[in-house]
Amino acid sequence: MLVFAAIIGGFMMISICWLLFKRSQLSVAQLMVAVFLLGLLLAIESRGRRFAGRTFWLYVLLYGISRYVIEVYRDDPRGMVGTFSTSQFISMILVPLAVAMLIYLAR
């Protein structure tokens, strides 16, 4: 029930932001990703073996993956580290770190 409430609340927040920003052609992609990750994270957290730090590192893992994918589709030159955008480069550090921490803390 908590997952459902979080998702509905998130969609309401997205709708309000869309109404506020629709004239400026801005997208609230980061807000949409955050709401989606929150709902997914709450659904995942109700299952499996729990341990200290699991929620945080799962969020870091999911955020890193989703941010990398979003940056593939963005078309604005904001800063590059080699051939990757800055956000992709940070995500490439966060994802392996989160996986390593989840494995370490699960023991």
Side-chain angles (χ1 to χ4, degrees), residues 33 36-37 40 57-73 87-88 90-96 98-99 102:
V33 168
F36 173 73
L37 289 180
L40 185 63
W57 289 109
L58 273 175
Y59 181 80
V60 170
L61 174 68
L62 292 173
Y63 180 79
I65 292 169
S66 63
R67 190 67 190 177
Y68 186 89
V69 171
I70 287 172
E71 289 295 319
V72 168
Y73 294 105
S87 297
Q88 285 177 320
I90 292 170
S91 293
M92 288 190 301
I93 295 170
L94 287 179
V95 169
V99 169
L102 284 168

Side-chain angles (χ1 to χ4, degrees), residues 12-89:
M12 288 173 54
M13 197 167 47
I14 290 169
S15 299
I16 292 168
C17 288
W18 182 79
L19 288 173
L20 292 174
F21 293 114
K22 72 179 181 179
R23 290 188 197 134
S24 65
Q25 300 298 320
L26 293 176
S27 174
V28 288
Q30 290 153 335
L31 180 62
M32 288 188 255
V33 168
V35 169
F36 173 73
L37 289 180
L38 176 64
L40 185 63
L41 193 61
L42 289 174
I44 290 172
E45 276 301 299
S46 64
R47 298 181 182 101
R49 200 178 104 207
R50 297 179 185 173
F51 50 86
R54 179 178 179 217
T55 305
F56 174 76
W57 289 109
L58 273 175
Y59 181 80
V60 170
L61 174 68
L62 292 173
Y63 180 79
I65 292 169
S66 63
R67 190 67 190 177
Y68 186 89
V69 171
I70 287 172
E71 289 295 319
V72 168
Y73 294 105
R74 283 186 82 157
D75 191 26
D76 62 337
R78 288 188 306 139
M80 303 295 279
V81 177
T83 59
F84 299 104
S85 72
T86 305
S87 297
Q88 285 177 320
F89 182 73

